[in-house]
Amino acid sequence: MHEYTSTPRVWGLSCPGSPEEVGRVRRWTRDVLRDSPCADDAALIVTELSANAVLHTASADGGPAGGAFHVSLAVSGVVVSISVTDSGGTKTAPTVEHPGAEETHGRGLAMVTALAHHVETHGDQRGHTVTAHLTHAPDAS
């Protein structure tokens, strides 16, 4: 390995907080991870986390924090980490919920937790970052 090049790669994307951006983030994730065995799960996870940022925080267009959310992908030979940072505006951290059978919301973070090897949340009312880590077999290269 060259001394100035590391194996892990990191990509970032900042988006206005409109619902249309969720689809753009999903496509971007698929493009970045096109050769990864985690691409489909990562696309589903980034879709859910981005939608949560747009729907439940100040990341939404017109929000007091500028209406934006930020996505990062960190990729190594065995791990893909997806992080979505919202613009805050909520006093509670994102948590897994257990909605009733008739509820139409509240299942997304449970789905993310089921797909990922590990999920962590950091932050406060100024913004939360939810990171999901997916693991896979090492690259043969």
Side-chain angles (χ1 to χ4, degrees):
M1 175 171 71
H2 188 277
E3 68 179 300
Y4 298 113
T5 306
S6 62
T7 301
R9 303 281 189 231
V10 178
W11 289 263
L13 184 65
S14 294
C15 302
S18 67
E20 294 81 19
E21 292 299 308
V22 174
R24 183 169 77 104
V25 168
R26 180 177 46 252
R27 288 186 302 278
W28 175 77
T29 300
R30 283 187 188 278
D31 286 347
V32 169
L33 299 175
R34 70 180 148 265
D35 296 326
S36 171
C38 296
D40 290 337
D41 287 347
L44 189 58
I45 288 170
V46 79
T47 298
E48 181 57 36
L49 297 180
S50 299
N52 283 351
V54 171
L55 293 172
H56 303 298
T57 74
S59 294
D61 276 341
F69 65 98
H70 311 280
V71 179
S72 68
L73 298 175
V75 181
S76 74
V78 295
V79 177
V80 172
S81 296
I82 304 115
S83 296
V84 176
T85 302
D86 63 47
S87 294
T90 63
K91 293 182 181 179
T92 58
T95 57
V96 174
E97 296 179 10
H98 303 285
E102 299 299 317
E103 296 295 322
T104 59
H105 295 284
R107 292 174 181 78
L109 203 50
M111 178 186 61
V112 168
T113 302
L115 290 172
H117 179 258
H118 180 69
V119 177
E120 55 193 1
T121 302
H122 299 282
D124 57 25
Q125 68 274 5
R126 294 171 294 186
H128 289 95
T129 299
V130 180
T131 303
H133 305 280
L134 299 165
T135 59
H136 56 89
D139 288 343
S141 54

